[in-house]
Amino acid sequence: MRRSALDKYICELEGLPALSREALEALQLRRLNELLSREKARGGFYRGLPAGVGSLAELSALPFTTAEELSANAPGLLLTSQAEVERIISGVTSGTTGPAKRVFYTRRDLEHTVGFFAAGISEFTSPGDSVLIAMPFSGPDGLGELICRAVASLGANPVRAGVGRSLGELAGLTRRFSPAAYIGMSVPLLGLLRYMGRSSLSRALVSGDACPEGVCAGIERLLGTRLFPHYGSREMCLGGAVTCAAHSGMHIRENHILVEIVDKNGRVLPDGERGELVITTLDMEAMPLIRYRTGDVARIVPGPCACGCVCRRLERVSRAEDVMERLDSALFRLPGLVDYRASLGPDGALLLDAVGSVRAGQLEEACAALGFAARAKVRPVSAGFRGSYPGKRSLTEAAAAQPV
Ligand SMILES: [Zn+2]
């Protein structure tokens, strides 16, 4: 098997002749200690932590950082001057109240992300390919533009689709530019493939939302190739872990991000066990985080990868609240379903507003098999359909429910 591009990227960036577990962990320990001493020197948010540790194992004795602390302390968490900050991402996760989480990046932080993206994308993209990018475009250093720069650095052609386009518009872009690959969320891709039928698309990287098993299986059947899932979040400067040619989990960019999996009491779990994903962003210049609890659930795939890369692998990352993911996984196994919106009715039944050629009874039966009472209505798909959700998929509460 071809050597993973991530391995090559890390060796080049860090000046290492070869990537071994020992070399990677020595780098992580050095970075962790540099970070702890930077915090002390600058009187940062983490100034109360020890100025250094003797081993990576000692990380588990340090306190966690929560999403609430991140929301309340963004300026205190910043380790550079405001002038060095290239981009601020802020936002409130749906369903929560209180101050928005703000995350800052420097030019160097963003360039690291572009390099990591390019390594991941090169696993399925060749020079001259066109790549349809169905991710948000929100300014010069937004996610969409960072992906474009990574694609262009490989000699491939980015096609800026963005999010919120209709199926007809996306099909038009696909006919016009004949993209070989797609980068975007999984459910919109499955809906597009089902709407278009045959197309030039044959490979895809899915990210930005959960990757339910039934959805991925449906996409892989239509593309005729295995998917390249990616996991990232704003807290890790958007790029975190990406799939190699072995398709056996997502390799973490461990030169920049240290990952732990913990149980609900905060105890570190061994590789192979599922628990909450905790990240330490070792080499972020603007806003490094120490032991940040992501609220996402994942496991580390134990043992070495067939591709030879020694970076550890994350398997299927889920949100802690995964009802929508379970529904998506089951319902999208029905081949006629293009998309649907789910809400919880006042009587506790699920209300499904679906698009496609599936029958309402089939959707209701699939929900019943998961233990949910449901009432569904189905509309035929049209060229003007723009998707049931503008971003991440979630079950809405009764107040927002549309009568069925
Ligand atoms: Zn691998």
Side-chain angles (χ1 to χ4, degrees), residues 24-374:
L24 198 51
E25 288 178 8
L27 179 71
Q28 289 181 324
L29 181 59
R30 197 187 80 217
R31 294 233 155 110
L32 179 58
N33 281 324
E34 282 168 3
L35 171 54
L36 289 168
S37 61
R38 270 178 81 208
E39 293 282 351
K40 276 265 187 251
R42 292 193 69 116
F45 177 78
Y46 297 111
R47 63 188 176 279
L49 298 185
V53 292
S55 74
L56 287 177
E58 290 175 37
L59 178 67
S60 66
L62 304 184
F64 292 112
T65 308
T66 63
E68 292 72 31
E69 286 172 312
L70 175 52
S71 298
N73 297 287
L77 281 158
L78 183 62
L79 271 196
T80 49
S81 68
Q82 289 281 352
E84 291 169 282
V85 171
E86 287 288 333
R87 182 170 173 78
I88 299 169
I89 291 194
S90 62
V92 181
T93 309
S94 59
T96 61
T97 52
K101 273 194 292 191
R102 276 179 297 157
V103 185
F104 305 87
Y105 313 121
T106 63
R107 173 61 38 204
R108 177 179 177 271
D109 294 336
L110 293 167
E111 288 316 314
H112 282 168
T113 296
V114 171
F116 168 73
F117 281 168
I121 295 166
S122 74
E123 296 284 2
F124 59 91
T125 300
S126 304
D129 281 350
S130 289
V131 181
L132 190 71
I133 301 169
M135 283 293 199
F137 281 78
S138 52
D141 287 316
L143 178 58
E145 288 300 339
L146 297 181
I147 298 170
C148 281
R149 276 165 27 209
V151 167
S153 76
L154 300 169
N157 313 310
V159 180
R160 293 167 168 79
V163 290
R165 282 188 189 263
S166 70
L167 287 172
E169 288 168 341
L170 288 168
L173 282 173
T174 304
R175 278 193 299 271
R176 185 166 162 212
F177 295 102
S178 301
Y182 167 99
I183 295 176
M185 289 188 284
S186 60
V187 168
L189 171 59
L190 182 56
L192 177 65
L193 293 172
R194 286 179 173 175
Y195 171 75
M196 287 193 299
R198 288 188 74 84
S199 79
S200 58
L201 292 172
S202 66
R203 298 179 294 276
L205 180 151
V206 287
S207 188
D209 200 357
C211 267
E213 219 168 316
V215 175
C216 290
I219 295 170
E220 290 181 341
R221 218 171 10 253
L222 291 169
L223 291 179
T225 57
R226 300 291 310 278
L227 275 174
F228 289 83
H230 166 269
Y231 172 76
S233 64
R234 294 175 295 181
E235 292 83 355
M236 53 177 77
C237 196
L238 308 168
V242 76
T243 305
C244 67
H247 295 279
S248 176
M250 301 174 283
H251 287 286
I252 303 154
R253 58 165 167 149
E254 284 195 280
N255 57 327
H256 295 145
I257 302 166
L258 207 153
V259 161
E260 300 167 277
I261 304 288
V262 303
D263 68 13
K264 52 180 184 302
N265 300 317
R267 202 170 45 94
V268 177
L269 293 169
D271 287 0
E273 289 190 32
R274 257 182 111 68
E276 184 178 356
L277 177 67
V278 172
I279 57 165
T280 297
T281 52
L282 291 172
D283 199 32
M284 296 297 163
E285 205 170 41
M287 199 166 163
L289 296 171
I290 296 176
R291 303 201 84 208
Y292 177 76
R293 296 188 79 135
T294 63
D296 289 333
V297 176
R299 78 189 263 272
I300 302 277
V301 184
C305 182
C307 79
C309 179
V310 296
C311 289
R312 296 196 297 165
R313 290 164 290 155
L314 282 178
E315 191 183 65
R316 200 172 289 286
V317 182
S318 304
R319 282 180 262 161
E321 177 48 71
D322 67 344
V323 173
M324 196 69 199
E325 199 177 327
R326 286 170 59 212
L327 281 175
D328 281 348
S329 191
L331 300 186
F332 281 106
R333 290 190 194 274
L334 298 167
L337 181 63
V338 170
D339 205 348
Y340 72 95
R341 189 172 179 84
S343 50
L344 206 53
D347 58 353
L350 286 175
L351 309 177
L352 304 181
D353 182 4
V355 172
S357 57
V358 67
R359 283 183 293 108
Q362 290 177 291
L363 292 167
E364 289 162 2
E365 274 169 35
C367 288
L370 294 176
F372 296 113

